[in-house]
Protein backbone atom coordinates (compact mmCIF):
# COMPACT_ATOMS: atom_id res chain seq x y z
CA UNK A 1 0.00 0.00 0.00
CA UNK A 2 1.30 3.47 -0.81
CA UNK A 3 0.65 6.73 0.94
CA UNK A 4 0.34 9.86 -1.18
CA UNK A 5 1.83 13.18 -0.11
CA UNK A 6 -0.58 14.86 2.30
CA UNK A 7 -2.40 11.62 3.18
CA UNK A 8 -2.77 10.45 6.78
CA UNK A 9 -1.58 7.01 7.83
CA UNK A 10 -2.48 5.27 11.07
CA UNK A 11 -0.19 2.72 12.69
CA UNK A 12 -1.23 0.53 15.62
CA UNK A 13 1.35 -1.20 17.80
CA UNK A 14 0.30 -3.67 20.50
CA UNK A 15 2.51 -4.36 23.50
CA UNK A 16 2.14 -7.57 25.52
CA UNK A 17 3.65 -8.25 28.92
CA UNK A 18 4.22 -11.98 29.26
CA UNK A 19 5.99 -11.63 32.59
CA UNK A 20 7.31 -12.75 34.90
CA UNK A 21 6.52 -9.34 36.49
CA UNK A 22 4.94 -5.98 35.77
CA UNK A 23 6.83 -3.75 33.33
CA UNK A 24 7.64 -0.69 35.42
CA UNK A 25 9.83 2.18 34.20
CA UNK A 26 9.79 0.75 30.68
CA UNK A 27 10.49 3.04 27.72
CA UNK A 28 9.18 2.52 24.19
CA UNK A 29 10.65 4.65 21.41
CA UNK A 30 9.53 4.53 17.79
CA UNK A 31 11.09 6.56 15.02
CA UNK A 32 9.95 7.30 11.50
CA UNK A 33 11.76 7.85 8.23
CA UNK A 34 12.39 11.53 7.36
CA UNK A 35 9.67 11.38 4.69
CA UNK A 36 6.97 10.75 7.34
CA UNK A 37 5.94 13.29 9.97
CA UNK A 38 4.51 12.01 13.26
CA UNK A 39 1.88 14.49 14.38
CA UNK A 40 0.41 12.74 17.41
CA UNK A 41 0.51 9.57 19.49
CA UNK A 42 -2.00 8.04 21.87
CA UNK A 43 -1.27 5.27 24.32
CA UNK A 44 -3.88 3.24 26.18
CA UNK A 45 -1.81 2.86 29.36
CA UNK A 46 0.71 5.64 29.81
CA UNK A 47 1.79 8.87 28.23
CA UNK A 48 3.58 9.63 24.96
CA UNK A 49 5.64 12.56 23.74
CA UNK A 50 6.46 13.29 20.09
CA UNK A 51 9.80 15.06 19.63
CA UNK A 52 11.91 15.33 16.50
CA UNK A 53 10.14 12.49 14.70
CA UNK A 54 10.45 10.08 17.63
CA UNK A 55 7.55 8.90 19.78
CA UNK A 56 8.58 8.12 23.37
CA UNK A 57 6.11 6.37 25.69
CA UNK A 58 6.55 5.32 29.30
CA UNK A 59 4.11 2.51 29.92
CA UNK A 60 3.49 0.83 33.23
CA UNK A 61 2.18 -2.52 32.09
CA UNK A 62 0.91 -5.06 34.66
CA UNK A 63 1.69 -8.72 34.14
CA UNK A 64 -0.34 -10.37 31.34
CA UNK A 65 -1.84 -7.01 30.25
CA UNK A 66 -1.81 -5.44 26.79
CA UNK A 67 -1.50 -1.83 25.71
CA UNK A 68 -1.95 -0.18 22.33
CA UNK A 69 -0.04 2.68 20.83
Amino acid sequence: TSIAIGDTAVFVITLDNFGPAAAEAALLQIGSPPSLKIVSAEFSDGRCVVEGGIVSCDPSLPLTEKARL
Side-chain angles (χ1 to χ4, degrees):
T1 304
S2 3
I3 303 169
I5 293 173
D7 281 357
T8 299
V10 176
F11 297 89
V12 176
I13 298 169
T14 302
L15 302 174
D16 291 304
N17 181 358
F18 294 112
E24 308 232 358
L27 175 64
L28 169 67
Q29 288 189 322
I30 301 166
S32 67
S35 57
L36 291 179
K37 179 181 178 186
I38 299 174
V39 293
S40 67
E42 296 177 9
F43 195 55
S44 64
D45 191 29
R47 67 177 185 86
C48 292
V49 175
V50 179
E51 254 182 61
I54 295 177
V55 177
S56 297
C57 302
D58 59 350
S60 175
L61 199 55
L63 181 61
T64 72
E65 292 294 317
K66 291 184 179 187
R68 291 181 67 165
L69 169 68

